[in-house]
Amino acid sequence: AQKVTQAQTEISVVEKEDVTLDCVYETRDTTYYLFWYKQPPSGELVFLIRRNSFDEQNEISGRYSWNFQKSTSSFNFTITASQVVDSAVYFCALGGTSYGKLTFGQGTILTVHP
Amino acid sequence: EAQVTQNPRYLITVTGKKLTVTCSQNMNHEYMSWYRQDPGLGLRQIYYSMNVEVTDKGDVPEGYKVSRKEKRNFPLILESPSPNQTSLYFCASIHEGQGDEQYFGPGTRLTVT
C-alpha cells in the first residue's frame, strides 16, 4: 500500500524567512511519481511540481525548490524568502500505476505573517 | 482551454435528500477520479473511471455512486447523504493512468445537515 506522511500539520513563519515542508512516502512500486500541490484560501488545487522516481535531480523554480532523496524516501519542498501570498495548505502526493490515483499526505498549513 | 468543471460549487442539503455533483472535462481524457478532502486527512479517492462504463471503487466509496455514460462526464451521486459526507469534493481528469499531472476541478463544498 502507498502512504504519504507530512509530519508538519501547521507551520508559522514571518515574511522573508525560509521554510521547508517535509514529505516522506512509502511505496513498493519501482516507478512512481511525486507531486506537490498548493491550496490557497480560495480552495482550488494548484499544481506545483511532478517528479518521477528515476529523476533525483533537485529542482528550483524561482523561490521554490524541491529536494528528492530516494534513499530516505523523501521529497521536501523549500520556499525561500517566504511571502504572505505563500500562505496556503500544501499537499504532497504519490502516484504510481493505479489508474491515475494519487495518494495524498495530510497537508501542511503554512501561515506567513507580515 | 483545458478545464474540469464541477457543479454546484457550494451546496447545503439535508440528510437523506439525494443529490448529484456533476463533473465535466473537455480534454478527451479516459481516466477520471473523485476525491474528498477532510481536515487532517488530505484527499482520499472515492471512485475512479478508466473509460466509458468502466468504474471502480477507491479508498472511501461507501455512500457514493458514480456513472460514466459519456467520456466527458463523471457525476458523483449521493443517494442518501449523511452529515459525515460533509466535505470538500474534487473531480480530477487524468491524461494517462500513470503519474501524469492531474487536472482538478474547482471543488464542491458540500454541507449535509
Side-chain angles (χ1 to χ4, degrees), chain A residues 33 35 39 50 100-102, chain B residues 35 37 59 97-99 101-102:
Chain A
Y33 298 82
F35 300 78
Q39 187 178 48
R50 176 179 68 249
K101 174 187 174 182
L102 292 183
Chain B
Y35 294 86
Q37 180 186 345
D59 296 322
Q98 307 219 352
E101 176 186 348
Q102 305 219 348

Side-chain angles (χ1 to χ4, degrees), chain B residues 3-4 21 27 34 40 47 50 58 60 63-64 79 94 97 100-101 108 113:
Chain B
Q3 71 180 36
V4 178
V21 183
M27 294 164 278
W34 275 103
Y47 266 95
M50 294 82 82
V60 288
Y64 303 96
E79 296 257 348
I94 307 107
D100 278 9
E101 176 186 348
T108 295
T113 62

Side-chain angles (χ1 to χ4, degrees), chain A:
Chain A
Q2 298 188 324
K3 187 178 178 182
V4 176
T5 302
Q6 295 178 251
Q8 303 145 312
T9 305
E10 290 192 51
I11 300 176
S12 182
V13 299
V14 177
E15 219 172 9
K16 295 197 175 77
E17 282 186 40
D18 298 348
V19 57
T20 295
L21 283 63
D22 297 332
C23 173
V24 174
Y25 63 92
E26 296 175 30
T27 181
R28 290 184 182 163
D29 294 337
T30 53
T31 301
Y32 52 88
Y33 298 82
L34 294 161
F35 300 78
W36 276 95
Y37 287 88
K38 174 182 180 180
Q39 187 178 48
S42 51
E44 75 273 21
L45 288 167
V46 178
F47 168 79
L48 295 178
I49 189 170
R50 176 179 68 249
R51 173 67 74 221
N52 78 52
S53 53
F54 297 109
D55 183 2
E56 286 194 69
Q57 277 195 320
N58 293 331
E59 177 146 347
I60 298 174
S61 176
R63 296 184 297 107
Y64 295 170
S65 62
W66 291 268
N67 181 263
F68 176 26
Q69 293 203 336
K70 233 170 159 175
S71 59
T72 55
S73 297
S74 65
F75 187 46
N76 296 338
F77 173 32
T78 297
I79 302 174
T80 303
S82 59
Q83 299 176 2
V84 172
V85 294
D86 296 326
S87 295
V89 183
Y90 290 86
F91 291 100
C92 179
L94 171 66
T97 56
S98 184
Y99 302 108
K101 174 187 174 182
L102 292 183
T103 299
F104 283 81
Q106 304 91 321
T108 297
I109 302 170
L110 173 65
T111 304
V112 181
H113 299 280

